Coordinates of all heavy atoms in Angstrom, one line a residue:
N24 N -251.0 -16.6 60.8 CA -252.0 -15.7 61.4 C -252.6 -14.7 60.3 O -253.8 -14.5 60.3 CB -251.4 -14.9 62.6 CG -251.3 -15.7 63.8 OD1 -251.9 -16.8 64.0 ND2 -250.4 -15.3 64.7
S25 N -251.7 -14.2 59.5 CA -252.2 -13.3 58.4 C -253.0 -14.0 57.4 O -254.0 -13.4 56.9 CB -251.0 -12.6 57.8 OG -250.0 -13.6 57.3
C26 N -252.8 -15.3 57.2 CA -253.6 -16.1 56.2 C -254.9 -16.3 56.9 O -256.0 -16.2 56.2 CB -252.9 -17.4 56.0 SG -253.8 -18.5 54.9
L27 N -255.0 -16.6 58.1 CA -256.2 -16.9 58.9 C -257.0 -15.6 58.9 O -258.3 -15.6 58.7 CB -255.9 -17.3 60.3 CG -257.0 -18.0 61.0 CD1 -257.6 -19.1 60.2 CD2 -256.5 -18.5 62.4
E28 N -256.4 -14.4 59.1 CA -257.1 -13.2 59.1 C -257.7 -12.9 57.7 O -258.9 -12.4 57.7 CB -256.1 -12.0 59.5 CG -256.8 -10.7 59.8 CD -257.8 -10.8 60.9 OE1 -257.6 -11.5 61.9 OE2 -258.8 -10.0 60.8
Q29 N -257.0 -13.2 56.7 CA -257.6 -13.1 55.3 C -258.8 -14.0 55.2 O -259.9 -13.6 54.6 CB -256.6 -13.4 54.3 CG -255.5 -12.3 54.1 CD -254.5 -12.7 53.0 OE1 -254.3 -13.8 52.7 NE2 -253.9 -11.6 52.5
A30 N -258.8 -15.2 55.7 CA -259.9 -16.1 55.6 C -261.1 -15.6 56.4 O -262.3 -15.7 56.0 CB -259.5 -17.5 56.2
Y31 N -260.9 -15.0 57.6 CA -262.0 -14.4 58.3 C -262.6 -13.2 57.5 O -263.8 -13.1 57.5 CB -261.5 -13.8 59.7 CG -261.2 -14.8 60.7 CD1 -260.0 -14.9 61.4 CD2 -262.2 -15.8 61.1 CE1 -259.8 -15.9 62.4 CE2 -262.0 -16.7 62.0 CZ -260.8 -16.8 62.7 OH -260.6 -17.7 63.7
H32 N -261.8 -12.4 56.8 CA -262.3 -11.4 56.0 C -263.2 -11.9 54.9 O -264.3 -11.4 54.6 CB -261.2 -10.5 55.4 CG -260.6 -9.6 56.4 ND1 -261.2 -8.7 57.2 CD2 -259.3 -9.5 56.8 CE1 -260.4 -8.1 58.0 NE2 -259.2 -8.6 57.8
L33 N -262.7 -13.0 54.3 CA -263.5 -13.7 53.2 C -264.9 -14.1 53.7 O -265.9 -14.0 53.1 CB -262.8 -14.8 52.6 CG -261.5 -14.5 51.8 CD1 -260.8 -15.8 51.4 CD2 -261.9 -13.7 50.5
A34 N -264.9 -14.7 55.0 CA -266.1 -15.2 55.6 C -267.1 -14.1 55.8 O -268.3 -14.3 56.1 CB -265.8 -15.9 56.9
E35 N -266.7 -12.8 55.8 CA -267.6 -11.7 56.0 C -268.2 -11.2 54.7 O -269.1 -10.3 54.7 CB -266.8 -10.5 56.6 CG -266.4 -10.9 58.0 CD -265.6 -9.7 58.7 OE1 -265.2 -8.8 58.0 OE2 -265.4 -9.8 59.9
L36 N -267.7 -11.7 53.5 CA -268.2 -11.2 52.2 C -269.7 -11.5 52.1 O -270.2 -12.6 52.3 CB -267.5 -11.8 51.1 CG -266.0 -11.4 51.0 CD1 -265.3 -12.3 49.9 CD2 -265.9 -10.0 50.7
P37 N -270.5 -10.5 51.7 CA -272.0 -10.7 51.6 C -272.4 -11.6 50.5 O -273.5 -12.2 50.6 CB -272.5 -9.2 51.3 CG -271.3 -8.5 50.7 CD -270.1 -9.1 51.3
F38 N -271.6 -11.9 49.6 CA -271.9 -12.8 48.5 C -271.3 -14.2 48.6 O -271.3 -15.0 47.7 CB -271.5 -12.2 47.1 CG -270.1 -11.7 47.1 CD1 -269.0 -12.5 47.0 CD2 -269.9 -10.3 47.2 CE1 -267.7 -12.0 47.0 CE2 -268.6 -9.8 47.2 CZ -267.5 -10.6 47.1
L39 N -270.7 -14.5 49.8 CA -270.1 -15.8 50.0 C -271.2 -16.9 50.0 O -272.2 -16.7 50.5 CB -269.4 -15.8 51.3 CG -268.6 -17.1 51.6 CD1 -267.4 -17.2 50.7 CD2 -268.1 -17.1 53.1
H40 N -270.8 -18.0 49.4 CA -271.7 -19.1 49.3 C -271.2 -20.3 50.2 O -270.2 -20.9 49.9 CB -271.9 -19.6 47.9 CG -272.8 -20.8 47.8 ND1 -274.2 -20.7 48.0 CD2 -272.6 -22.1 47.4 CE1 -274.7 -21.9 47.8 NE2 -273.8 -22.7 47.5
Q41 N -271.8 -20.4 51.4 CA -271.6 -21.5 52.3 C -270.3 -21.5 53.1 O -270.4 -21.7 54.3 CB -271.7 -22.9 51.6 CG -273.1 -23.2 51.1 CD -273.2 -24.6 50.5 OE1 -272.3 -25.2 50.1 NE2 -274.4 -25.0 50.5
W42 N -269.1 -21.4 52.6 CA -267.9 -21.5 53.4 C -266.7 -21.0 52.7 O -266.7 -20.8 51.5 CB -267.7 -22.9 53.9 CG -267.7 -24.0 52.8 CD1 -266.8 -24.2 51.8 CD2 -268.7 -24.9 52.6 NE1 -267.2 -25.2 51.0 CE2 -268.4 -25.7 51.5 CE3 -269.9 -25.3 53.3 CZ2 -269.1 -26.7 51.0 CZ3 -270.6 -26.3 52.8 CH2 -270.3 -27.0 51.7
V43 N -265.6 -20.9 53.4 CA -264.3 -20.6 52.9 C -263.5 -21.8 53.1 O -263.6 -22.5 54.1 CB -263.6 -19.4 53.7 CG1 -262.2 -19.2 53.3 CG2 -264.5 -18.1 53.6
C44 N -262.7 -22.2 52.1 CA -261.8 -23.3 52.2 C -260.3 -22.9 52.1 O -260.0 -22.1 51.2 CB -262.1 -24.4 51.1 SG -263.7 -25.1 51.2
L45 N -259.5 -23.5 52.9 CA -258.0 -23.3 52.8 C -257.4 -24.6 52.5 O -257.5 -25.6 53.4 CB -257.5 -22.7 54.1 CG -258.1 -21.3 54.5 CD1 -257.5 -20.9 55.9 CD2 -257.8 -20.3 53.4
M46 N -256.7 -24.7 51.4 CA -256.1 -26.0 51.0 C -254.8 -26.2 51.7 O -254.3 -25.3 52.4 CB -255.9 -26.0 49.5 CG -257.1 -25.8 48.6 SD -258.2 -27.2 48.7 CE -259.6 -26.5 49.7
P47 N -254.2 -27.4 51.6 CA -253.0 -27.7 52.3 C -251.8 -26.8 52.0 O -250.9 -26.6 52.8 CB -252.6 -29.1 51.9 CG -253.9 -29.7 51.5 CD -254.7 -28.6 50.9
D48 N -251.8 -26.1 50.8 CA -250.7 -25.2 50.5 C -251.0 -23.8 50.9 O -250.3 -22.9 50.4 CB -250.5 -25.3 48.9 CG -251.7 -24.8 48.1 OD1 -252.8 -24.7 48.7 OD2 -251.5 -24.4 47.0
T49 N -252.0 -23.5 51.7 CA -252.4 -22.2 51.9 C -251.3 -21.3 52.6 O -250.6 -21.8 53.4 CB -253.7 -22.1 52.8 OG1 -254.3 -20.8 52.7 CG2 -253.5 -22.5 54.2
H50 N -251.3 -20.1 52.2 CA -250.4 -19.1 52.8 C -250.9 -17.7 52.4 O -251.7 -17.6 51.5 CB -248.9 -19.3 52.5 CG -248.6 -19.3 51.0 ND1 -248.8 -20.4 50.2 CD2 -248.2 -18.3 50.2 CE1 -248.4 -20.1 49.0 NE2 -248.0 -18.8 49.0
T51 N -250.4 -16.7 53.1 CA -250.9 -15.3 52.9 C -250.7 -14.9 51.4 O -249.6 -15.1 50.9 CB -250.2 -14.4 53.8 OG1 -250.4 -14.8 55.2 CG2 -250.8 -13.0 53.7

Side-chain angles (χ1 to χ4, degrees):
N24 287 335
S25 53
C26 179
L27 198 54
E28 191 61 32
Q29 287 180 334
Y31 282 128
H32 289 301
L33 290 173
E35 294 176 348
L36 293 173
F38 47 78
L39 185 69
H40 179 68
Q41 295 187 334
W42 49 71
V43 174
C44 295
L45 300 178
M46 300 294 109
D48 66 337
T49 195
H50 57 277
T51 305

